[in-house]
Amino acid sequence: MDKNVQVHYTMESHVAKRDKEGCFYCRALNMVSREAYDYCLSCPLFGGFARFGGETEEPECWYFDLDGLVEEERTSQQEKQRIDGMIMAGLAKEFPDFLENAPGAKSYHLIEEAIQFAAVAHKGVTRKGVEIPYVAHVMETMMLVAHMTSDNEVIAAAALHDVVEDTEYTLEDIEHKFGKRVASLVAHETENKRPDQPKEATWKIRKAEQLEQVKSAPIEVKMIMLGDKLSNMRASLRDFRKDPDNLWNKFNMKDVNQQEWYYRSVAEKLSDLKDYPAYQEYVEILDEVFQK
């Protein structure tokens, strides 16, 4: 880049167009993929679909990026290398800025900061059995909760729901950055994993504790739990449709009967939310996956 070129950090439209190899770059997940656009509708960057040649539709994403650069055709891998370089140089964040500054918008930026914090905390981790970055689950949970409530602290807590349970960060870290209420909501979603014992040996104990805790929990806690479990079951449904006989082999609990007990118990404990589309979708997926 010419050192005299002026560049600005601006909100821009980016179309995730496939390159000659049939790959596209996803900025939210910071990955190159050939798979279907499974997470676009659950992404805060998603701005609709752009049409090419009257036939093909590709996701249009909105987020802040450097402009003023020479326009050039880049492969998906080259685009990932560009973003990785910007992240390393401190010119971009692990999860991009996607909200513009506006009067009264401070509370909305709590959500942006939460998913950016979670993206860093879960960096390098993938979902079980696949190469999808874990932030896909974080993002989907957050967006599901955002369809149930406009309370930005609850939505932020949804983005952070696995941080304490699965990373080195503590509830004190969450409280320091996001406040007591967000930390309290995250605490409700955090299992006692008993790290000194085998996960498979404590699975049912941990799930029973979680079910008992959520029984009398505030509705906001139940919303986050529903978002979390629906995201999990959406992933399981995709796997079930591809290979139903091996669905549970990648999990600590491989007994389908125990898995069904847990997920249907969740539905029972969250029945306060039965009028929400997310709850109805959750029950429909259970019926398909567990073949009822």
Side-chain angles (χ1 to χ4, degrees):
M1 182 174 68
D2 189 321
K3 66 175 65 176
N4 295 318
V5 172
Q6 284 191 325
V7 294
H8 306 278
Y9 194 52
T10 60
M11 173 71 83
E12 293 185 350
S13 167
H14 302 75
V15 177
K17 190 175 181 180
R18 292 182 185 272
D19 57 26
K20 293 179 181 179
E21 284 72 41
C23 298
F24 69 94
Y25 172 71
C26 172
R27 178 63 181 94
L29 306 185
N30 192 19
M31 70 175 295
V32 174
S33 179
R34 291 178 180 271
E35 299 301 316
Y37 305 115
D38 288 332
Y39 294 96
C40 291
L41 296 179
S42 299
C43 178
L45 311 185
F46 181 66
F49 286 100
R51 187 177 289 274
F52 293 91
E55 296 180 1
T56 307
E57 290 185 338
E58 309 282 12
E60 182 179 16
C61 313
W62 285 87
Y63 54 89
F64 281 86
D65 199 354
L66 294 179
D67 73 349
L69 302 177
V70 176
E71 288 294 330
E72 60 181 13
E73 193 72 22
R74 287 186 288 264
T75 67
S76 299
Q77 193 59 50
Q78 286 171 334
E79 181 64 4
K80 177 169 172 37
Q81 290 170 351
R82 181 181 78 88
I83 296 296
D84 284 343
M86 288 175 61
I87 292 171
M88 288 182 64
L91 297 173
K93 296 175 182 174
E94 196 67 40
F95 196 95
D97 291 314
F98 59 92
L99 294 175
E100 297 192 80
N101 290 324
K106 183 177 180 180
S107 64
Y108 289 99
H109 285 277
L110 184 75
I111 298 170
E112 184 179 66
E113 291 171 3
I115 194 167
Q116 289 172 340
F117 187 96
V120 172
H122 295 292
K123 182 176 173 61
V125 180
T126 59
R127 299 221 68 185
K128 282 182 176 148
V130 294
E131 295 303 314
I132 303 296
Y134 196 81
V135 73
H137 169 64
V138 170
M139 186 174 71
E140 188 170 39
T141 300
M142 181 188 86
M143 294 301 286
L144 284 165
V145 172
H147 283 93
M148 289 184 270
T149 179
S150 59
D151 187 324
N152 294 322
E153 289 187 323
V154 179
I155 299 168
L160 298 162
H161 75 278
D162 274 337
V163 166
V164 175
E165 184 175 309
D166 292 337
T167 80
E168 63 184 9
Y169 292 97
T170 66
L171 284 173
E172 288 74 22
D173 295 326
I174 302 298
E175 182 175 337
H176 177 74
K177 186 166 181 63
F178 299 100
K180 288 185 177 181
R181 183 168 179 243
V182 172
S184 175
L185 290 167
V186 172
H188 275 90
E189 304 296 328
T190 302
E191 281 187 1
N192 176 2
K193 282 201 164 183
R194 297 169 172 82
D196 56 329
Q197 300 178 53
K199 290 181 179 179
E200 59 274 16
T202 63
W203 184 90
K204 190 160 187 176
I205 296 171
R206 290 183 284 112
K207 300 309 176 187
E209 287 174 346
Q210 187 184 54
L211 291 168
E212 182 62 27
Q213 183 178 12
V214 80
K215 185 167 61 176
S216 58
I219 196 71
E220 294 85 358
V221 171
K222 294 182 178 183
M223 287 178 176
I224 298 172
M225 187 177 193
L226 176 57
D228 177 25
K229 302 314 174 190
L230 175 53
S231 175
N232 286 342
M233 288 310 300
R234 282 178 174 179
S236 292
L237 179 61
R238 287 191 289 270
D239 293 342
F240 176 78
R241 288 173 173 173
K242 293 176 184 176
D243 187 6
D245 294 332
N246 294 300
L247 173 60
W248 305 107
N249 288 347
K250 63 186 177 183
F251 293 98
N252 294 319
M253 175 52 69
K254 297 172 175 52
D255 185 337
V256 63
N257 294 317
Q258 291 297 310
Q259 291 283 359
E260 181 173 14
W261 160 78
Y262 173 63
Y263 280 106
R264 290 201 183 277
S265 295
V266 168
E268 178 187 342
K269 303 302 183 191
L270 302 183
S271 60
D272 294 359
L273 304 173
K274 64 180 182 300
D275 292 331
Y276 287 90
Y279 182 89
Q280 295 158 16
E281 180 186 350
Y282 177 72
V283 173
E284 288 172 3
I285 293 176
L286 294 187
D287 288 344
E288 181 173 346
V289 169
F290 296 113
Q291 301 179 321
K292 296 295 184 183

